[in-house]
Amino acid sequence: MEIKILKDENEIGAACGQFFVDYINANPKCVLGFATGATPVPTYNYIVDAYNNKKVSLKEISTFNLDEYCDIPKEHKNSYWYFMRENLFGKVDVNYDNVDFLNGNADTEAESARYAKAIADKGGIDVQILGIGRNGHIAFNEPSDEFTDEAWKVTLTQSTIDANSKYFDDIPMPHYAVTMGIGSIMRSKKIILIATGDSKAEAVKAMIKGPVTPQCPASILQQHNDVVIYLDEAAAALL
Ligand code: PGA
């Protein structure tokens, strides 16, 4: 694991954003794995600024996203599909034919197989961006007794519901989601994980210094050979 500690989320957004701009310019047909949540937004803002300044084009990239809620329509303002459109895809020249998402309202087994094949058909994910939950989850892989492989349907924990229900104002937050499994995430060629804020400090410590255990799903990243972890000073405070 390569660990980079920067001052705050803006410095991290600039560093990660520039990494993606350079990567896309060097590999215009790359396959990128995107994440939702508050953490990657400064990175996405940086990419959008670079696009507006004609420093990068996303028109040939292919994308996959980590997870999606069940039981809400794709077009609902709290879906992750909507989040990506609002925060990145709708602001750049991405080709929606090359944007793939887990469908939270499909038969999970068939959808998991479809997603695995779609990723494999593109040659795998070149770079996957990740956040981390306060409980050590990556994507929606919550602490459990085993590491999962391909995409699956998860019952969200109270910790995740507490963290995310503030975004839901017209409907109750769903209690189920579909998520890429730990195996699918680990097959990404490169992984960039970002953690900011003191609420992530315990999970960051367990991920980096603790044992590899499904009780802290992010700890599996210790076994990946190309992971870069960007932390702000608050998230790195317990290292
Ligand atoms: P956040 O979520 O970026 O909104 O903190 C990260 C995560 O739960 O993976």
Side-chain angles (χ1 to χ4, degrees):
M1 287 174 152
E2 185 186 353
I3 298 165
K4 295 181 191 259
I5 300 174
L6 302 181
K7 190 162 121 271
D8 56 26
E9 63 170 14
N10 295 325
E11 278 194 9
I12 295 177
C16 287
Q18 190 59 46
F19 166 82
F20 279 104
V21 167
D22 292 341
Y23 190 89
I24 295 165
N25 283 329
N27 307 278
K29 296 189 174 169
C30 61
V31 181
L32 299 181
F34 285 117
T36 51
T39 305
V41 170
T43 298
Y44 297 161
N45 289 342
Y46 188 96
I47 297 171
V48 170
D49 277 350
Y51 168 75
N52 286 334
N53 288 309
K54 302 196 180 343
K55 298 268 183 5
V56 70
S57 165
L58 283 72
K59 69 174 186 289
E60 291 186 299
I61 70 166
S62 295
T63 79
F64 292 92
N65 257 77
L66 286 171
D67 44 19
E68 181 57 284
Y69 288 114
C70 299
D71 307 320
I72 59 174
K74 176 180 168 186
E75 295 77 17
H76 188 272
K77 66 183 168 63
N78 286 115
S79 80
Y80 283 158
W81 183 87
Y82 189 97
F83 176 100
M84 288 308 300
R85 197 187 68 183
E86 292 297 297
N87 285 285
L88 184 62
F89 298 156
K91 295 178 169 174
V92 295
D93 58 349
V94 78
N95 177 354
Y96 277 97
D97 289 344
N98 293 328
V99 170
D100 205 341
F101 244 88
L102 281 163
N103 179 352
N105 298 312
D107 171 75
T108 307
E109 212 170 302
E111 180 62 1
S112 174
R114 182 197 71 76
Y115 213 55
K117 181 171 184 319
I119 293 171
D121 286 350
K122 295 272 185 184
I125 292 174
D126 294 312
V127 187
Q128 174 67 57
I129 186 165
L130 292 177
I132 182 172
R134 299 170 198 185
N135 60 5
H137 74 202
I138 45 176
F140 271 140
N141 294 284
E142 303 281 34
S144 76
D145 293 336
E146 57 184 352
F147 288 117
T148 53
D149 188 23
E150 297 294 357
W152 64 298
K153 182 170 180 173
V154 60
T155 306
L156 300 173
T157 60
Q158 197 57 47
S159 160
T160 300
I161 292 168
D162 292 345
N164 288 5
S165 50
K166 62 176 180 282
Y167 299 120
F168 287 80
D169 55 12
D170 61 342
I171 55 166
M173 180 177 156
H175 286 200
Y176 297 96
V178 278
T179 180
M180 275 169 64
I182 295 291
S184 16
I185 293 169
M186 287 293 278
R187 282 187 282 280
S188 307
K189 291 162 206 158
K190 183 180 187 78
I191 293 176
I192 292 182
L193 183 143
I194 306 173
T196 51
D198 55 10
S199 69
K200 303 292 175 69
E202 284 285 354
V204 165
K205 181 179 167 200
M207 165 177 68
I208 295 171
K209 298 234 157 130
V212 175
T213 164
Q215 294 301 331
C216 175
S219 64
I220 192 79
L221 298 176
Q222 293 176 27
Q223 296 180 352
H224 193 284
N225 63 8
D226 190 358
V227 180
V228 186
I229 297 181
Y230 285 88
L231 305 173
D232 69 358
E233 288 168 1
L238 300 179
L239 292 181

